[in-house]
Amino acid sequence: MFDHCLYFNTASLARVVERLWSAAFKPFGLTPPQAFMLRLVLAQPGLSQHQIADQLTITRPTATRLLDGLQALGLVQRTLLPTDGRHWSIQPTDAARELQPALNQASAAVTQRIQRLIGKQTFTETVGKVKEVCDALKNA
């Protein structure tokens, strides 16, 4: 019935993928959105909340809620930007840096599992096409 529906099929895929990533990040006490945000902060310390929201393609209020959760867990800290006192710079804590190798390993394990299940070429092509569609629709 919904074979040609982009919404239905991407939402269905998102639910299946969410379960895989949730299981991977559960040992860290993190949801997939928190874990991906933390991985971004670890990879690019000093981003503003706005930059994080833009890079993760989430709304600013959603970014704020996720950052609040990460801060409560002691994994990030906010400092006012010296150039603009209205915006925060987000820095990982030492605790977050200690988690980084294990987070990256958990992420790699999920990616490898999916690649084994669907094939590496299908995985690469699908991710590329999904990004392409997302970029086109974001700018529409």
Side-chain angles (χ1 to χ4, degrees):
M1 178 172 172
F2 300 115
D3 288 349
H4 302 287
C5 179
L6 181 63
Y7 173 81
F8 178 84
N9 288 290
T10 55
S12 179
L13 175 61
R15 287 188 295 273
V16 171
V17 172
E18 178 78 20
R19 285 192 294 271
L20 295 171
W21 288 103
S22 291
F25 294 130
K26 186 176 183 177
F28 305 100
L30 299 172
T31 65
Q34 288 174 321
F36 281 100
M37 179 177 281
L38 183 58
R39 290 183 70 214
L40 176 61
V41 170
L42 285 161
Q44 297 180 47
L47 291 175
S48 71
Q49 290 183 213
H50 297 111
Q51 290 170 315
I52 291 170
D54 290 345
Q55 286 200 35
L56 295 177
T57 319
I58 58 177
T59 64
R60 290 177 181 165
T62 298
T64 298
R65 283 190 301 276
L66 289 170
L67 286 167
D68 288 346
L70 291 174
Q71 189 170 13
L73 292 170
L75 298 172
V76 299
Q77 56 191 17
R78 294 171 164 116
T79 57
L80 283 174
L81 286 171
T83 56
D84 186 347
R86 298 170 296 161
H87 296 283
W88 297 94
S89 166
I90 310 303
Q91 299 290 335
T93 63
D94 290 340
R97 283 189 274 284
E98 289 176 19
L99 283 180
Q100 187 173 16
L103 280 175
N104 289 342
Q105 185 178 19
S107 182
V110 173
T111 297
Q112 290 167 358
R113 179 177 178 208
I114 295 169
Q115 288 175 341
R116 279 193 309 273
L117 291 169
I118 68 172
K120 191 171 184 172
Q121 183 175 346
T122 299
F123 176 88
T124 302
E125 290 171 357
T126 301
V127 171
K129 288 293 184 185
V130 169
K131 285 177 63 179
E132 185 180 313
V133 170
C134 186
D135 289 343
L137 294 178
K138 275 193 308 193
N139 299 319

CSV table of all heavy atoms in Angstrom, one decimal, residues 75-99:
chain,number,residue,atom,x,y,z
A,75,LEU,N,28.7,15.3,31.1
A,75,LEU,CA,29.4,15.0,29.9
A,75,LEU,C,29.8,16.2,29.1
A,75,LEU,O,30.7,16.2,28.2
A,75,LEU,CB,28.7,14.0,29.1
A,75,LEU,CG,28.5,12.6,29.8
A,75,LEU,CD1,27.5,11.7,28.9
A,75,LEU,CD2,29.8,12.0,30.0
A,76,VAL,N,29.1,17.3,29.3
A,76,VAL,CA,29.4,18.6,28.6
A,76,VAL,C,29.3,19.7,29.5
A,76,VAL,O,28.6,19.6,30.6
A,76,VAL,CB,28.4,18.8,27.3
A,76,VAL,CG1,28.5,17.8,26.3
A,76,VAL,CG2,27.0,19.1,27.8
A,77,GLN,N,29.9,20.8,29.2
A,77,GLN,CA,29.8,22.1,29.9
A,77,GLN,C,29.6,23.2,28.9
A,77,GLN,O,30.1,23.2,27.8
A,77,GLN,CB,30.9,22.3,30.9
A,77,GLN,CG,32.3,22.3,30.2
A,77,GLN,CD,33.4,22.2,31.2
A,77,GLN,OE1,33.3,21.9,32.4
A,77,GLN,NE2,34.6,22.6,30.7
A,78,ARG,N,28.8,24.2,29.4
A,78,ARG,CA,28.6,25.4,28.6
A,78,ARG,C,29.4,26.5,29.1
A,78,ARG,O,29.4,26.7,30.3
A,78,ARG,CB,27.1,25.8,28.6
A,78,ARG,CG,26.2,24.8,28.0
A,78,ARG,CD,24.7,25.2,28.3
A,78,ARG,NE,23.7,24.6,27.5
A,78,ARG,CZ,22.8,23.7,28.0
A,78,ARG,NH1,22.8,23.4,29.3
A,78,ARG,NH2,21.9,23.2,27.2
A,79,THR,N,30.0,27.3,28.2
A,79,THR,CA,30.7,28.5,28.6
A,79,THR,C,30.3,29.6,27.7
A,79,THR,O,30.1,29.3,26.5
A,79,THR,CB,32.3,28.3,28.6
A,79,THR,OG1,32.7,27.9,27.3
A,79,THR,CG2,32.7,27.3,29.6
A,80,LEU,N,30.1,30.8,28.2
A,80,LEU,CA,29.7,31.9,27.3
A,80,LEU,C,30.8,32.2,26.3
A,80,LEU,O,32.0,32.2,26.6
A,80,LEU,CB,29.5,33.2,28.1
A,80,LEU,CG,28.1,33.2,28.9
A,80,LEU,CD1,28.0,34.4,29.8
A,80,LEU,CD2,27.0,33.2,27.9
A,81,LEU,N,30.4,32.4,25.1
A,81,LEU,CA,31.4,32.8,24.0
A,81,LEU,C,31.9,34.2,24.4
A,81,LEU,O,31.2,35.1,24.6
A,81,LEU,CB,30.7,32.8,22.7
A,81,LEU,CG,30.4,31.5,22.0
A,81,LEU,CD1,29.6,31.6,20.8
A,81,LEU,CD2,31.7,30.7,21.7
A,82,PRO,N,33.2,34.3,24.3
A,82,PRO,CA,33.8,35.6,24.6
A,82,PRO,C,33.4,36.7,23.6
A,82,PRO,O,33.4,37.9,24.0
A,82,PRO,CB,35.3,35.4,24.6
A,82,PRO,CG,35.5,34.1,24.0
A,82,PRO,CD,34.2,33.3,24.0
A,83,THR,N,33.1,36.3,22.4
A,83,THR,CA,32.8,37.3,21.4
A,83,THR,C,31.3,37.7,21.4
A,83,THR,O,30.9,38.6,20.7
A,83,THR,CB,33.1,36.7,20.0
A,83,THR,OG1,32.5,35.4,19.8
A,83,THR,CG2,34.6,36.5,19.8
A,84,ASP,N,30.5,36.8,22.0
A,84,ASP,CA,29.0,37.1,22.0
A,84,ASP,C,28.4,36.5,23.3
A,84,ASP,O,28.2,35.3,23.4
A,84,ASP,CB,28.4,36.5,20.8
A,84,ASP,CG,26.9,36.9,20.7
A,84,ASP,OD1,26.3,37.4,21.6
A,84,ASP,OD2,26.3,36.7,19.6
A,85,GLY,N,28.1,37.3,24.3
A,85,GLY,CA,27.6,36.8,25.6
A,85,GLY,C,26.2,36.2,25.5
A,85,GLY,O,25.7,35.8,26.5
A,86,ARG,N,25.6,36.2,24.3
A,86,ARG,CA,24.3,35.6,24.2
A,86,ARG,C,24.4,34.1,23.8
A,86,ARG,O,23.4,33.4,23.8
A,86,ARG,CB,23.5,36.3,23.1
A,86,ARG,CG,23.2,37.8,23.5
A,86,ARG,CD,22.6,38.5,22.3
A,86,ARG,NE,23.6,38.5,21.2
A,86,ARG,CZ,23.3,38.8,20.0
A,86,ARG,NH1,22.1,39.0,19.6
A,86,ARG,NH2,24.3,38.8,19.1
A,87,HIS,N,25.6,33.7,23.4
A,87,HIS,CA,25.7,32.3,22.9
A,87,HIS,C,26.7,31.5,23.8
A,87,HIS,O,27.6,32.1,24.3
A,87,HIS,CB,26.1,32.3,21.4
A,87,HIS,CG,25.1,32.9,20.5
A,87,HIS,ND1,24.0,32.3,20.1
A,87,HIS,CD2,25.1,34.1,20.0
A,87,HIS,CE1,23.3,33.0,19.4
A,87,HIS,NE2,23.9,34.2,19.2
A,88,TRP,N,26.5,30.2,23.8
A,88,TRP,CA,27.3,29.3,24.6
A,88,TRP,C,28.2,28.5,23.7
A,88,TRP,O,27.9,28.1,22.6
A,88,TRP,CB,26.4,28.3,25.4
A,88,TRP,CG,25.5,29.0,26.3
A,88,TRP,CD1,24.2,29.4,26.1
A,88,TRP,CD2,25.8,29.4,27.7
A,88,TRP,NE1,23.7,30.0,27.3
A,88,TRP,CE2,24.7,29.9,28.2
A,88,TRP,CE3,27.0,29.2,28.5
A,88,TRP,CZ2,24.6,30.4,29.6
A,88,TRP,CZ3,26.9,29.7,29.8
A,88,TRP,CH2,25.8,30.3,30.3
A,89,SER,N,29.4,28.2,24.2
A,89,SER,CA,30.3,27.3,23.6
A,89,SER,C,30.2,26.0,24.4
A,89,SER,O,30.1,26.0,25.6
A,89,SER,CB,31.8,27.8,23.8
A,89,SER,OG,32.7,26.8,23.5
A,90,ILE,N,30.1,24.9,23.6
A,90,ILE,CA,29.9,23.6,24.3
A,90,ILE,C,31.2,22.8,24.2
A,90,ILE,O,31.8,22.6,23.2
A,90,ILE,CB,28.8,22.8,23.6
A,90,ILE,CG1,27.5,23.6,23.4
A,90,ILE,CG2,28.5,21.5,24.3
A,90,ILE,CD1,26.9,24.2,24.6
A,91,GLN,N,31.6,22.4,25.4
A,91,GLN,CA,32.9,21.7,25.6
A,91,GLN,C,32.6,20.3,26.2
A,91,GLN,O,31.8,20.2,27.1
A,91,GLN,CB,33.8,22.4,26.5
A,91,GLN,CG,34.2,23.8,26.0
A,91,GLN,CD,35.1,23.8,24.8
A,91,GLN,OE1,35.8,22.8,24.6
A,91,GLN,NE2,35.1,24.8,24.0
A,92,PRO,N,33.3,19.3,25.8
A,92,PRO,CA,33.2,18.0,26.5
A,92,PRO,C,34.0,18.0,27.8
A,92,PRO,O,34.9,18.7,27.9
A,92,PRO,CB,33.9,17.0,25.5
A,92,PRO,CG,34.8,17.8,24.7
A,92,PRO,CD,34.2,19.2,24.6
A,93,THR,N,33.5,17.2,28.7
A,93,THR,CA,34.2,17.1,30.0
A,93,THR,C,35.2,16.0,29.9
A,93,THR,O,35.2,15.2,28.9
A,93,THR,CB,33.2,16.8,31.1
A,93,THR,OG1,32.6,15.5,30.9
A,93,THR,CG2,32.2,17.9,31.3
A,94,ASP,N,36.0,15.8,30.9
A,94,ASP,CA,37.0,14.7,31.0
A,94,ASP,C,36.2,13.4,30.9
A,94,ASP,O,36.7,12.4,30.3
A,94,ASP,CB,37.9,14.8,32.2
A,94,ASP,CG,38.9,16.0,32.1
A,94,ASP,OD1,39.1,16.5,31.0
A,94,ASP,OD2,39.4,16.4,33.2
A,95,ALA,N,35.1,13.3,31.6
A,95,ALA,CA,34.3,12.1,31.6
A,95,ALA,C,33.9,11.7,30.2
A,95,ALA,O,33.9,10.6,29.8
A,95,ALA,CB,33.1,12.2,32.5
A,96,ALA,N,33.5,12.7,29.4
A,96,ALA,CA,33.1,12.5,28.0
A,96,ALA,C,34.3,12.0,27.2
A,96,ALA,O,34.1,11.1,26.4
A,96,ALA,CB,32.5,13.8,27.4
A,97,ARG,N,35.4,12.6,27.4
A,97,ARG,CA,36.6,12.2,26.6
A,97,ARG,C,37.0,10.8,27.0
A,97,ARG,O,37.4,10.0,26.1
A,97,ARG,CB,37.7,13.2,26.9
A,97,ARG,CG,37.6,14.5,26.1
A,97,ARG,CD,38.9,15.3,26.2
A,97,ARG,NE,38.9,16.2,27.4
A,97,ARG,CZ,38.2,17.3,27.5
A,97,ARG,NH1,37.4,17.7,26.6
A,97,ARG,NH2,38.3,18.0,28.7
A,98,GLU,N,36.7,10.4,28.2
A,98,GLU,CA,37.0,9.0,28.6
A,98,GLU,C,36.1,8.0,27.9
A,98,GLU,O,36.5,6.9,27.6
A,98,GLU,CB,36.9,8.8,30.1
A,98,GLU,CG,38.0,9.4,30.9
A,98,GLU,CD,37.9,9.3,32.4
A,98,GLU,OE1,37.1,8.5,32.8
A,98,GLU,OE2,38.5,10.1,33.1
A,99,LEU,N,34.8,8.4,27.6
A,99,LEU,CA,33.9,7.6,26.9
A,99,LEU,C,34.1,7.5,25.4
A,99,LEU,O,33.6,6.6,24.7
A,99,LEU,CB,32.4,8.1,27.1
A,99,LEU,CG,31.7,7.9,28.4
A,99,LEU,CD1,30.4,8.5,28.4
A,99,LEU,CD2,31.6,6.4,28.7
